[in-house]
Amino acid sequence: MPRGPSLTAEAVCFFRAIETARPEADRVLDDPYAERFLPKSWRPWVRSPVARMVQMGFNGRLALGPGALQGFVALRHRWMDDALVSFLAGGGEQVVVLGAGYDSRALRFAAALDGRPFYEVDFPATQRKKQALIAERVPEAKSAAIYLPIDFERESLAEGLAKAHTFEPGRKTFFVWEGVAMYLHKEAIAQTLDTVRTLGATGSEIVCDMWSAPPGASFEARLRRAGAALLGTIGEPLKFSLQPDEAPAFFASHGFETAEVLDSEALAERYRLTRRKIFPDNCVVRAVV
Ligand SMILES: C[S@@+](CC[C@H](N)C(=O)[O-])C[C@H]1O[C@@H](n2cnc3c(N)ncnc32)[C@H](O)[C@@H]1O
C-alpha cells in the first residue's frame, strides 16, 4: 500500500503523455491533460530524444521493455475510453472510477457525460495531490469529478461511495478499474467486485485490466515475474494475477457475465498497433452485471 501519492499513477500518466506526443497518425490516445499532471521534472522527458529512443528503438525488439509497457498502458486507456463512450451513448447513468490516479476522463468526456455524475475513488494521498494539480495547472477546466478518498484495503467501496450523498445505487453504472486490481489482495478484489455487482443496476459494466503472471519455470518466465516484483521496491507490489482464460469463470463467480477479454496481442490488433511491441503479461476485461 502506498504511503504517499502513488508513483505508479504518475508513471502511467507519463506513458499517456508520451503517447499523446506521438504524431497523430501514429498514436492511439489523445490525453492533453496527462502532461500537465506530471511532476515538473518529468515533463521535459515526454518529448526528449531519450524517450523517443526508448519507444522507437526498443519497441521493435523488446517485448518487455518500457516502450512495450507504455504501449499497453496507452491501449488499455483507449479501449476503456471507447467502452465508456458506448456505455454513455447506450443510456448509462453514472460513472465510478476506482483508483483513479491522474485519469482525466471527467475533463475529456465532460460533453458526453452531459451532467451525469462521475465519481473518482482513490487512495487519499493520491487524490489530494491530483486535486491540487488541477487547481494549479488546469484552473480553467471544469472537472465533472466528485472525489471520494478511500483505501480499498481498509474500507469497503460501499462505505466510500456512501460518503457521496449523491451516489444512487441501483442505477446503470460504468465502473473503471484500471491498473489497480493487481495491487490488491484477493479479499479486497472479491469485496470490490461484489460491491460493484450489488450497487449497479442490471446492465452496469466494469472495465478492468489484470496482470497475468507468466506461468512456468523457464528463464524468461522467471525474469518477467522478477521484473514485476520490482514494483515492490516502490511500495506498490503486485499481489493478484489472473490469466485471460480464467477471467470468465472468475467474474461469473462474482455475478458478472464477461462480455470481452482481450490479451495484449488482441488489443494491439484491435487498434492496429501490430508494428509496436506491446507488453504481453496483461489483459483487459469488460464484465456486465
Ligand atoms: C497504477 S495507478 C492507476 C491509476 C489510474 N487508474 C490510471 O490508470 O491512470 C494505481 C492507482 O490505484 C490506487 N490504489 C492503490 N492501492 C490502493 C488502495 N489500497 N486504495 C485505494 N486506491 C489504491 C493508487 O492511489 C493509484 O491511483
Side-chain angles (χ1 to χ4, degrees):
M1 180 182 54
R3 290 208 180 92
S6 165
L7 278 176
T8 56
E10 284 180 345
V12 293
C13 184
F14 179 58
F15 286 162
R16 290 197 289 270
I18 290 181
E19 187 70 20
T20 302
R22 290 179 82 107
E24 201 176 330
D26 191 29
R27 68 181 180 210
V28 285
L29 187 70
D30 181 16
D31 179 354
Y33 297 101
E35 195 172 338
R36 296 165 83 176
F37 288 152
L38 288 176
K40 288 205 169 93
S41 58
W42 293 36
R43 292 168 78 173
W45 292 95
V46 171
R47 288 159 217 283
S48 76
V50 176
R52 302 306 292 164
M53 215 169 72
V54 166
Q55 269 199 294
M56 312 305 273
F58 298 167
N59 262 353
R61 297 178 204 106
L62 213 55
L64 301 174
L69 191 55
Q70 186 274 332
F72 175 75
V73 166
L75 276 171
R76 79 175 178 201
H77 207 72
R78 167 64 189 277
W79 179 78
M80 291 182 187
D81 278 1
D82 289 351
L84 169 65
V85 169
S86 18
F87 186 83
L88 292 174
E93 294 175 280
Q94 55 189 358
V95 180
V96 179
V97 185
L98 308 169
Y102 302 101
D103 181 313
S104 68
R105 292 184 177 107
L107 293 158
R108 288 188 292 124
F109 295 109
L113 282 163
D114 194 23
R116 284 173 275 199
F118 190 105
Y119 299 93
E120 290 194 8
V121 183
D122 205 347
F123 193 68
T126 313
Q127 198 163 76
R128 274 195 299 276
K129 182 161 179 188
K130 180 182 187 177
Q131 285 176 275
L133 284 171
I134 291 187
E136 181 197 317
R137 299 190 189 162
V138 227
E140 76 284 5
K142 272 210 163 139
S143 172
I146 299 159
Y147 297 100
L148 300 171
I150 167 174
D151 177 351
F152 292 131
E153 302 276 6
R154 289 165 192 261
E155 283 173 277
S156 74
L157 175 61
E159 284 166 340
L161 286 172
K163 290 182 199 166
H165 300 298
T166 51
F167 179 81
E168 286 190 42
R171 290 185 141 206
K172 205 171 157 195
T173 310
F174 189 77
F175 292 87
V176 180
W177 207 22
E178 180 176 7
V180 184
M182 58 287 282
Y183 299 105
L184 303 179
H185 288 111
K186 203 174 173 192
E187 296 70 32
I189 290 180
Q191 196 186 45
T192 303
L193 286 177
D194 291 341
T195 307
V196 164
R197 192 204 60 236
T198 318
L199 292 177
T202 304
S204 295
E205 293 187 4
I206 183 164
V207 286
C208 59
D209 60 313
M210 293 282 167
W211 173 54
S212 313
S218 68
F219 175 72
E220 193 194 321
R222 280 186 285 141
L223 188 70
R224 280 152 68 176
R225 288 197 297 268
L230 285 178
L231 283 170
T233 62
I234 58 164
E236 297 181 53
L238 296 184
K239 296 174 188 162
F240 183 78
S241 152
L242 189 78
Q243 303 301 327
D245 60 354
E246 295 169 345
F250 178 74
F251 279 86
S253 72
H254 292 284
F256 292 85
E257 193 175 312
T258 300
E260 273 186 289
V261 185
L262 299 179
D263 62 14
S264 298
E265 212 180 315
L267 206 48
E269 266 170 34
R270 166 85 52 101
Y271 294 100
R272 299 192 183 85
L273 272 204
T274 42
R275 281 180 304 127
R276 280 162 67 179
K277 289 278 183 218
I278 303 300
F279 197 73
D281 297 338
N282 291 76
C283 63
V284 292
V285 181
R286 183 167 64 86
V288 183
V289 175

